Amino acid sequence: MHDLIGVGFGPSNLALAVAVEEHNAHVAEDRRIKALFLEKQPAFGWHRGMLVDGATMQVSFLKDLVTMRNPTSDFSFVSYLHGIGRLVEFINHKVFFPLRVEFHGYLEWAASRVDHQVRYNAHVTAVRPVRSEDGRVTAYDVVVGEGDTEVRHRARNVVLAPGLSPRLPDGVVASERVWHNARLVPNVAATDPARVRTAVVVGAGQSAAETADYLHRRFPEADVHAVFARFGYSPADDSPFANRIFDPDAVDQFYEAPDEVKELLTDYHRNTNYSVVDGDLITELYRRVYEERVAGRQRLYIRHASRVVELRDGGEGTDVDVEFLPTGKTETLRADVVVYATGYLPGDALALVEGAEAVCAYDADGRPRLGRDYRVVTEKPSAAGIYLQGPTEHTHGIGSTLLSNIAVRAGEILASVGEHLGRGTGSNGRAVPGVPGQASRGAGGNEDPQQDLALTRRS
């Protein structure tokens, strides 16, 4: 019997594993949390397909796996740099936003230190409620499919971190020439630059702009066409006051707000995270277009106020029909590569839970109801808990789903698990492990919450 099983092992559950590790190091053996994390990948990896050379994080290195929860932790990004002998150079570099590949190295380093908690190549196929004779859920069996057999791991609490799935428009199918940007880096590496004369990028967000920039650099003889419906890339609002939406306290305020206020705040601050681009990258792309115009050899085309109306993949290339919206005129591009940077779809967080509709409570829009501690509200009192990491924007706000809050969120979930087990962790998610602190607020995951109710963005 495990105290906690995490399904999925991306940054969110990695932060939770680190929190468990630190908690267990500071308490007596009978108060330790027995945890297991199951990951279908063969090793830790996070958006490997977008580890573009030169791309930086859009979140401060201080918002790593631990610092917002425990500034003295040796699992911090700074500790990682010190351990590999690169701290002095990083300080001299005078940057707040590390290289994306560098931050991925940090995450791998942290994952390697808690790998005794993790089983890779573990494809979870179901989460089955275990009931007592009176029908009360007392635990969950997490089922891992292994060939023709299945292995069951029992836990008092399950933390689901389902991640995201690449989204392609209806009717578009990935192929040798048609990609989602999630596979950008490996697909470019496998493509002969000499055979790419025309590339098309569909999308208006950060990933789309990075993709256009990357293809323009990696395919030096190719024309790159960026297609999107806006008149230009929209800059991300990363101003200090707007960034308050990512503060830990903002999660409290959002959770307690009426539904209409939740919707209002989300709409106001969508430009901090959705379909927006870093201002420096916008400036660089414009500079490149302008210099090419001056030189008389243009390769980068920003096809604004446009949309792809049809794509025909086959034969010698892929025909892409691009409509200019103001006039309705359509032009066909014969492309060697088409990349859709069209975002991701959140997984059904409770899809793995057998009979979820009989166990879990949902709001009027069919979304799971959550306590402040990210514990799913159940229809009947339950001795076992399900927690969500990721698909919580409807209850906890934009900041709850991003890297900005993973350290604090991990501490809050761990504190809630400890309280329900009768083994308080002594931390509300924002204090040093082992130091007495306030209990996790709203930890009663089986009580009605006060209100019901998506590659990183700078915060």
Side-chain angles (χ1 to χ4, degrees):
M1 174 72 80
H2 293 84
D3 297 316
L4 180 160
I5 288 180
V7 178
F9 198 62
S12 294
N13 268 348
L14 170 56
L16 181 57
V18 170
V20 170
E21 190 79 0
E22 293 189 325
H23 165 75
N24 288 348
H26 286 83
V27 299
E29 185 172 356
D30 63 346
R31 298 184 67 81
R32 292 175 183 169
I33 302 295
K34 184 179 180 182
L36 173 67
F37 295 87
L38 303 170
E39 169 57 49
K40 64 183 178 181
Q41 294 187 100
F44 180 87
W46 178 62
H47 292 302
R48 289 184 180 274
M50 281 300 292
L51 294 180
V52 174
D53 57 285
T56 59
M57 295 293 292
Q58 293 177 281
V59 62
S60 163
F61 70 88
L62 293 172
K63 293 186 174 181
D64 55 20
L65 297 169
V66 292
T67 298
M68 296 285 286
R69 171 179 59 81
N70 176 12
T72 66
S73 172
D74 66 355
F75 277 89
S76 69
F77 180 73
V78 170
S79 292
Y80 161 71
L81 291 176
H82 182 267
I84 63 173
R86 204 165 62 225
L87 180 57
V88 172
E89 289 90 338
F90 183 82
I91 293 172
N92 290 341
H93 195 28
K94 299 179 182 180
V95 297
F96 213 50
F97 307 103
L99 291 168
R100 191 177 297 162
V101 68
E102 180 177 35
F103 200 80
H104 191 276
Y106 157 66
L107 296 176
E108 289 182 306
W109 168 83
S112 70
R113 296 180 60 190
V114 295
D115 61 2
H116 55 281
Q117 297 186 46
V118 189
R119 294 191 185 178
Y120 293 101
N121 288 311
H123 184 221
V124 175
T125 58
V127 175
R128 294 173 181 158
V130 178
R131 290 181 168 84
S132 59
E133 291 183 359
D134 62 2
R136 188 184 189 196
V137 177
T138 58
Y140 290 95
D141 279 345
V142 181
V143 182
V144 176
E146 297 185 359
D148 295 330
T149 64
E150 56 181 42
V151 176
R152 289 178 296 164
H153 305 276
R154 184 161 292 183
R156 296 180 178 90
N157 297 279
V158 177
V159 183
L160 301 174
L164 303 170
S165 301
R167 174 191 174 277
L168 289 171
D170 292 342
V172 175
V173 179
S175 68
E176 181 181 355
R177 286 189 295 263
V178 179
W179 313 336
H180 188 276
N181 69 279
R183 294 282 305 164
L184 178 66
V185 171
N187 284 359
V188 167
T191 301
D192 180 6
R195 79 166 186 82
V196 180
R197 295 297 177 182
T198 301
V200 175
V201 180
V202 183
Q206 179 72 21
S207 294
E210 288 181 355
T211 297
D213 167 68
Y214 189 60
L215 295 180
H216 187 261
R217 290 187 286 112
R218 290 300 301 267
F219 298 145
E221 300 301 320
D223 291 345
V224 177
H225 299 260
V227 181
F228 50 84
R230 301 185 181 195
F231 229 80
Y233 292 114
S234 296
D237 185 354
D238 60 353
S239 58
F241 288 119
N243 271 349
R244 286 178 170 175
I245 194 68
F246 301 109
D247 290 352
D249 286 345
V251 178
D252 296 331
Q253 295 158 4
F254 189 94
Y255 183 85
E256 294 165 358
D259 287 348
E260 60 270 21
V261 175
K262 284 184 169 73
E263 184 175 349
L264 185 71
L265 291 173
T266 300
D267 289 343
Y268 275 153
H269 294 286
R270 294 191 71 82
N271 63 343
T272 62
N273 185 60
Y274 296 110
S275 298
V276 288
V277 181
D278 178 77
D280 291 342
L281 180 55
I282 295 174
T283 300
E284 166 58 22
L285 291 174
Y286 190 89
R287 181 201 62 79
R288 211 173 297 178
V289 170
Y290 185 78
E291 287 190 358
E292 289 181 351
R293 293 286 300 275
V294 171
R297 168 65 177 101
Q298 187 170 0
R299 291 199 303 113
L300 180 58
Y301 297 86
I302 307 300
R303 291 182 170 270
H304 63 275
S306 300
R307 65 175 179 175
V308 174
V309 292
E310 188 174 353
L311 181 145
R312 297 177 297 280
D313 185 21
E316 298 298 319
T318 301
D319 288 334
V320 184
D321 293 342
V322 178
E323 178 189 1
F324 184 54
L325 297 174
T327 65
K329 181 180 179 181
T330 299
E331 179 181 356
T332 299
L333 302 174
R334 170 61 63 90
D336 303 294
V337 168
V338 181
V339 183
Y340 280 87
T342 44
Y344 295 80
L345 293 173
D348 181 349
L350 300 177
L352 290 173
V353 181
E354 293 187 355
E357 63 283 351
V359 175
C360 304
Y362 295 83
D363 67 14
D365 295 317
R367 300 168 300 192
R369 298 173 63 191
L370 302 171
R372 172 60 185 83
D373 55 355
Y374 302 93
R375 183 175 169 119
V376 176
V377 176
T378 53
E379 289 287 356
K380 298 178 181 179
S382 172
I386 298 177
Y387 295 81
L388 297 186
Q389 295 232 59
T392 60
E393 184 174 307
H394 63 294
T395 51
H396 292 68
I398 295 174
S400 73
T401 66
L402 305 176
L403 281 179
S404 295
N405 270 303
I406 60 170
V408 172
R409 183 171 71 243
E412 290 172 339
I413 290 174
L414 178 60
S416 176
V417 168
E419 287 172 13
H420 282 85
L421 293 172
R423 281 175 261 161
T425 63
S427 170
N428 69 348
R430 306 183 192 183
V432 179
V435 177
Q438 176 187 355
S440 175
R441 292 151 299 165
N446 297 311
E447 302 172 2
D448 287 350
Q450 294 183 32
Q451 297 293 334
D452 305 329
L453 192 80
L455 272 1
T456 45
R457 290 292 176 262
R458 176 170 292 175
S459 53

